[in-house]
Amino acid sequence: MEFYRGGQEGFTATYDPRHALSFIDIPISHIKPCYVKHSSFHHNLGIAIGVYGTNNLEIQDNVIYHTIGSGMLYSSYRNIFVRVSYAFDYLMQTC
């Protein structure tokens, strides 16, 4: 899955997150698993992935590139993060 130009710049509050992908108070169990796998988030206008009050979420094999602010923001427990890659582009300035 590709998330391109997701989110809205300036909104980082947990009660109104406008990230490319947000998980808010979602009950996750082994019966109802939830995950973010094999996705790319690039040129986002805010945080790529926000996780609030959601436990046992699996985030695996994702690439986050060129976001405004943090790549991920979470305030939950027992989440699984495996091979999440952050790529940064450095702008070279010539004089």
Side-chain angles (χ1 to χ4, degrees):
M1 177 69 65
E2 177 183 24
F3 294 85
Y4 174 68
R5 296 189 60 114
Q8 185 172 353
E9 185 177 3
F11 286 88
T12 57
T14 59
Y15 61 87
D16 187 17
R18 298 181 190 190
H19 312 318
L21 186 61
S22 296
F23 293 90
I24 305 168
D25 298 325
I26 297 175
I28 298 174
S29 67
H30 66 281
I31 297 169
K32 293 176 63 176
C34 190
Y35 57 84
V36 181
K37 294 182 181 179
H38 313 291
S39 298
S40 66
F41 299 82
H42 62 96
H43 295 88
N44 288 301
L45 303 173
I47 295 168
I49 303 171
V51 182
Y52 308 99
T54 300
N55 300 321
N56 302 314
L57 175 67
E58 185 178 353
I59 299 176
Q60 178 180 339
D61 295 326
N62 297 290
V63 175
I64 299 171
Y65 171 74
H66 196 87
T67 61
I68 296 174
S70 301
M72 290 193 318
L73 187 61
Y74 55 93
S75 62
S76 301
Y77 302 102
R78 297 185 309 274
N79 294 307
I80 303 165
F81 300 97
V82 179
R83 289 184 299 274
V84 178
S85 301
Y86 294 93
F88 302 99
D89 59 340
Y90 294 96
L91 299 176
M92 301 200 50
Q93 190 174 22
T94 56
C95 297

